[in-house]
Amino acid sequence: MSEQTPTGAGHDVTEKTTEKASEKASGPAEGGGAPSRRSVIGWGGAGLALGAAAAGGAVALARGRGDETAPVADTGEAVPFHGAHQAGIATAVQDRLHFAAFDVKTKDREELIQLLKDWTRAAERMTAGREVGEGAYGGLPEAPPDDTGEALGLKPSRLTLTIGFGPSLFDGRFGLAGHRPAALADLPKFPGDNLDPARSGGDLCVQACADDPQVAVHAIRNLARIGFGKVAVRWSQLGFGKTSSTTPDAQTPRNLFGFKDGTRNIAGTETDRLARHVWVDGKDVRDADGWMTGGSYLVARRIRMNIETWDRAPLSEQEDVFGRDKKEGAAPGKAKEHDEPFLKAMKPTAHVRLAHPDANGGATLLRRGYSFTDGSDGLGRLDAGLFFLAYQRDVRTGFVPVQTQLARHDALNQYVQHVGSAVFAVPPGVRDKDDWWGRALFTAKPVQPVQPVPSAKPAASARPSTPAKA
């Protein structure tokens, strides 16, 4: 779970708007398409639980281009929504997460397109700290308001909203079969997987990250409300305690096992590494998936951590399992966390040794994982672990080789189990107020379906799309 592993802003900006959340919107969102309270008569989201209030302290804000990162001290500023890449990938990692996967219920392509437009307009407003549509109050008393209101008076809290499209969206319902990217590959079944179909897959996903948990939950809740009747929440996950950082000067976070996590993670300032390992380049694509230029691919894994068993393991064993010391995060024979590790000084089954790019043909992931605790498992143990999120240029050359190595040999496997999985194509950013999530995909010229790329045998899936057990 340290380095760049599955155990665990290159966001170009044309303009930035920051407003207090308490300001009332004067009318529909810029660019039109915002749903009216008279057209929205219900909310079909799942029950949402709030975590504790986000802690204060120093945070980092990605401003302007992805190679410019400026520290801020709990200002609650807004992260720009428009840009060549979606915010929430290389953006400085926020403190809290609400991630949701959706099944598309409508069979009407135009209705789905309108939903994506409405979601985009709502996302523009919420990330700027504004209310959705015509606001949370002051309208017709006979109709539900356009905004649910629980974020009134709160700062933008660096909210980012990042959308992705799952493999099942390309099954032919909406004429997209010919545009499924080869890099959006079904994941193979890895040894030790125990995936729950109810916590896997999805046609769409939205990742909401913020420094205030109520702001993140408000965002997902309102998107679910807008989508009522057209989409339904398939599963969702709340996260706290970021387990990775994309800010070079920030302290490396620790996971629930108490070890520093994401030591070698790609920083938002490393534009060369982002270009090499994260962003889809025009040279990677064909006519069928040219819409993905500037996008990325996301693997989401819910990883259960057996913390009660771990807590009884001797410190020496814990350090051997990870391949780093618990205090500093230094590799064997090294004094500091960021000293280049000598992999052969670690045990052959050490997590860091197996996950290191040098052990995986250079495979490198950008990680944005979060810890979670979801009550008890019914046997007196905490249902806790890591909600692993990793962005990469190609799933087949990113996550798959790294997880294959770990699943076969990692000593950490006796303490963790992968219980949920999904993979998504994350399109490029929304360029301006006239653009919308997925526009390039839905306006691309029709092509013949791309034949599946031979790969490891995928696991059986449940409709709608349980991505291969990964």
Side-chain angles (χ1 to χ4, degrees), residues 347-412:
K347 290 184 176 295
T349 58
H351 181 76
V352 168
R353 177 171 178 172
L354 294 169
H356 196 280
D358 290 351
N360 296 283
T364 302
L365 311 173
L366 185 154
R367 302 183 53 226
R368 290 186 66 92
Y370 288 82
S371 296
F372 69 84
T373 56
D374 289 339
S376 168
D377 65 356
L379 299 173
R381 300 172 301 192
L382 286 174
D383 180 6
L386 170 69
F387 189 63
F388 170 82
L389 296 168
Y391 289 89
Q392 62 240 267
R393 188 164 167 168
D394 191 320
V395 169
R396 299 166 298 176
T397 58
F399 177 80
V400 170
V402 177
Q403 182 57 23
T404 298
Q405 177 96 305
L406 292 171
R408 291 173 177 169
H409 308 296
D410 191 0
L412 195 60

Side-chain angles (χ1 to χ4, degrees), residues 84-143:
H85 312 296
Q86 289 196 64
I89 302 175
T91 307
V93 184
Q94 302 93 323
D95 293 334
R96 301 290 180 139
L97 167 81
H98 191 189
F99 188 99
F102 296 84
D103 291 333
V104 176
K105 296 301 184 181
T106 181
K107 298 180 181 179
D108 187 322
R109 175 186 169 105
E110 293 306 314
E111 193 170 40
L112 174 57
I113 289 174
Q114 186 59 52
L115 172 65
L116 292 172
K117 291 179 178 179
D118 293 343
W119 271 9
T120 305
R121 303 287 81 85
E124 287 173 336
R125 298 181 72 87
M126 289 189 291
T127 55
R130 303 176 68 183
E131 297 166 61
V132 175
E134 297 176 24
Y137 57 88
L140 294 174
E142 298 82 10

Side-chain angles (χ1 to χ4, degrees), residues 9 11-16 62-66 79-84:
H11 181 61
D12 296 326
V13 178
T14 56
E15 64 177 320
K16 172 181 177 180
R63 303 172 185 264
R65 297 185 58 84
V79 174
F81 180 77
H82 299 126

Side-chain angles (χ1 to χ4, degrees), residues 381-460:
R381 300 172 301 192
L382 286 174
D383 180 6
L386 170 69
F387 189 63
F388 170 82
L389 296 168
Y391 289 89
Q392 62 240 267
R393 188 164 167 168
D394 191 320
V395 169
R396 299 166 298 176
T397 58
F399 177 80
V400 170
V402 177
Q403 182 57 23
T404 298
Q405 177 96 305
L406 292 171
R408 291 173 177 169
H409 308 296
D410 191 0
L412 195 60
N413 290 336
Q414 63 186 304
Y415 300 104
V416 303
Q417 187 172 57
H418 292 230
V419 295
S421 179
V423 59
F424 299 96
V426 178
V430 175
R431 298 284 184 158
D432 53 43
K433 65 181 181 64
D434 296 318
D435 200 2
W436 45 276
W437 277 335
R439 180 190 56 79
L441 169 60
F442 283 89
T443 58
K445 63 180 180 180
V447 296
Q448 292 298 315
V450 178
Q451 294 300 315
V453 176
S455 62
K457 183 179 179 180

Side-chain angles (χ1 to χ4, degrees), residues 269-291:
T269 55
E270 295 180 297
T271 53
D272 56 338
R273 293 184 74 200
L274 289 168
R276 187 161 66 251
H277 299 297
V278 179
W279 307 131
V280 176
D281 187 90
K283 295 179 290 187
D284 299 338
V285 301
R286 303 178 304 278
D287 288 344
D289 54 358
W291 61 273

Side-chain angles (χ1 to χ4, degrees), residues 10-86:
H11 181 61
D12 296 326
V13 178
T14 56
E15 64 177 320
K16 172 181 177 180
T17 303
T18 304
E19 300 186 37
K20 296 180 180 178
S22 58
E23 288 184 43
K24 288 290 295 176
S26 58
E30 293 86 341
S36 165
R37 64 171 55 89
R38 285 167 290 278
S39 64
V40 181
I41 54 176
W43 171 51
L48 305 174
L50 294 179
V59 295
L61 172 67
R63 303 172 185 264
R65 297 185 58 84
D67 56 354
E68 299 171 4
T69 305
V72 294
D74 196 25
T75 64
E77 290 190 51
V79 174
F81 180 77
H82 299 126
H85 312 296
Q86 289 196 64

